[in-house]
Amino acid sequence: MPTSDRRERAQISIVLDLVLVLLFVGAAVGGLSLVQYLVPIEQRQAHNDVAGFIYAVLGVAYAVLLG
């Protein structure tokens, strides 16, 4: 396989990877915006303590996996 073909495939791969990352980030931001639009703030505030514990568990799991 010539070098130019490899370089071209690498560039296409990088562009597709960036598009994929942007799609996932856009979906996450869109989901967050949708929840903030549909769920009243009083209902979201009532669940802040639970969300804090969930984030703590996720942080510990990430630290264990990282270690």
Side-chain angles (χ1 to χ4, degrees):
M1 180 181 303
T3 307
S4 63
D5 286 344
R6 269 193 218 149
R7 184 172 295 165
E8 186 176 323
R9 284 184 184 206
Q11 290 172 345
I12 291 172
S13 177
I14 290 172
V15 169
L16 289 176
D17 291 344
L18 287 174
V19 167
L20 189 63
V21 168
L22 289 175
L23 283 174
F24 279 110
V25 169
V29 170
L32 177 65
S33 298
L34 186 65
V35 168
Q36 287 184 350
Y37 179 75
L38 294 176
V39 180
I41 193 165
E42 295 83 15
Q43 188 176 0
R44 286 185 277 137
Q45 286 177 342
H47 298 286
N48 278 348
D49 292 335
V50 175
F53 287 119
I54 291 172
Y55 282 126
V57 169
L58 290 174
V60 169
Y62 177 70
V64 169
L65 289 173
L66 193 61

